[in-house]
Amino acid sequence: MTTRANPLLLLHTWGGDAATWEPALRHLGAGGRHLKALDLPGHGARAAEPFTVDGAVGTALSASAAGSDVVGSQDVGGPENVLRPVDVVGSGLGALVALALAQRHPDRVRSLTLVGFPPAGGAEAARRPADTRAALNRDGAALFARNYVDSTLLSADPAHRDLLRRSMAGTRPEVLIDSLRATLGWTAHARPGPVGLPCQVLRGARDHRVPAAAADALAERLGGGSAVVPGAGHVAYLDEPEAFAAALAAFHDGLRTAPAD
């Protein structure tokens, strides 16, 4: 017997904001599911704030609570399910925050989906913050954002590309650097071990930033599974929002129909 869908908490990619979820919301909210997309600290309506992982986890925790009113959040669907633990979904930077939330506050999370994760390690991780700062200083925020979107998004829809371009261009350089460092150094904030709840690592089939082997290995370490969004790249929820929603629905529907222990 199926149950009502749990609320869905959506945590955006690096340089994004809550508005970048708009193309996916109508697919994710099928059946009237309660959705909440957040601006993480330093992003969107919270652009004046500094970014820290602890602050971002606190924001996500507040959003998971019944009747919460979080600055920069977008709510879709009826409020009748807000008391239920959330199905949390994070992309890139949001995946780090989602994993830390699930580990620190497992009572508020029913399931976990990490998208476009894990980030690069080794020498690439060591040099990326300095390279990013140099590009920001050289090009300015607007051109940096355009170049990043052009090299990352696969969606041909200009509206999808503009959403990420505008949000990134409006994010202060120090926030971009701090959140990038946090993402690349994710193991300092979240454990790469079993989370003790249903989880999946979801990867765009054409993601050139996260190899399939890395996504599969992380899924195994977390004690979950992995899945692929056909046609999508690194930011799967913007590249292929309908296919992304279908992949999430398959995961969440399986949880609701699984027999009780």
Side-chain angles (χ1 to χ4, degrees), residues 15-195:
D17 60 11
T20 61
W21 287 99
E22 289 176 0
L25 289 181
R26 73 176 183 275
H27 305 293
L28 294 169
R33 187 174 196 183
H34 185 87
L35 312 175
K36 179 167 284 189
L38 301 185
D39 288 335
L40 295 174
H43 301 78
R46 308 176 69 113
E49 301 177 22
F51 176 86
T52 66
V53 173
D54 289 347
V57 171
T59 297
L61 179 63
S62 295
S64 74
S68 62
D69 184 15
V70 176
V71 173
S73 65
Q74 297 193 26
D75 289 277
V76 179
E80 67 274 9
N81 292 333
V82 294
L83 288 173
R84 301 167 66 83
V86 296
D87 290 316
V88 62
V89 179
S91 176
L93 171 65
L96 163 59
V97 177
L99 179 56
L101 173 68
Q103 292 179 336
R104 299 179 193 184
H105 304 281
D107 58 313
R108 290 304 310 142
V109 177
R110 183 187 71 145
S111 75
L112 175 67
T113 297
L114 308 181
V115 189
F117 207 74
E124 182 178 351
R127 68 173 178 265
R128 274 193 63 195
D131 289 350
T132 299
R133 185 179 292 280
L136 282 164
N137 290 339
R138 180 186 68 242
D139 299 333
L143 180 56
F144 176 86
R146 178 176 295 276
N147 290 339
Y148 179 84
V149 170
D150 287 348
S151 67
T152 303
L153 283 194
L154 300 182
S155 174
D157 190 325
H160 294 191
R161 302 173 73 85
D162 284 347
L163 284 170
L164 184 55
R165 189 178 294 124
R166 284 199 300 268
S167 64
M168 183 168 282
T171 304
R172 290 180 293 125
E174 56 264 40
V175 168
L176 289 173
I177 297 299
D178 289 346
S179 57
L180 177 61
R181 284 202 180 103
T183 304
L184 293 169
W186 66 280
T187 56
H189 309 283
R191 301 182 302 276
V195 292

